[in-house]
Amino acid sequence: MGTVLVLIILGAIVALIVRSMIKDRKNGKSASCGGDCSHCKGCH
């Protein structure tokens, strides 16, 4: 029973992280590119 509980908690954490990443991407934010091409030289 403890294993199931840990899996549920981990699943919820992963879901929140993915949700946050999707929200950031929709708002133009990204971990790989901040949208400032002067810093990354041709990301777009």
Side-chain angles (χ1 to χ4, degrees):
M1 190 65 176
T3 304
V4 174
L5 184 61
V6 170
L7 287 175
I8 290 171
I9 292 171
L10 286 175
I13 291 171
V14 170
L16 289 173
I17 291 170
V18 169
R19 181 175 162 232
S20 174
M21 290 172 63
I22 291 170
K23 184 179 174 183
D24 284 347
R25 181 169 300 275
K26 285 183 180 180
N27 288 333
K29 300 176 188 174
S30 174
S32 63
C33 180
D36 186 4
C37 289
S38 66
H39 287 110
C40 63
K41 306 293 185 221
C43 60
H44 296 279

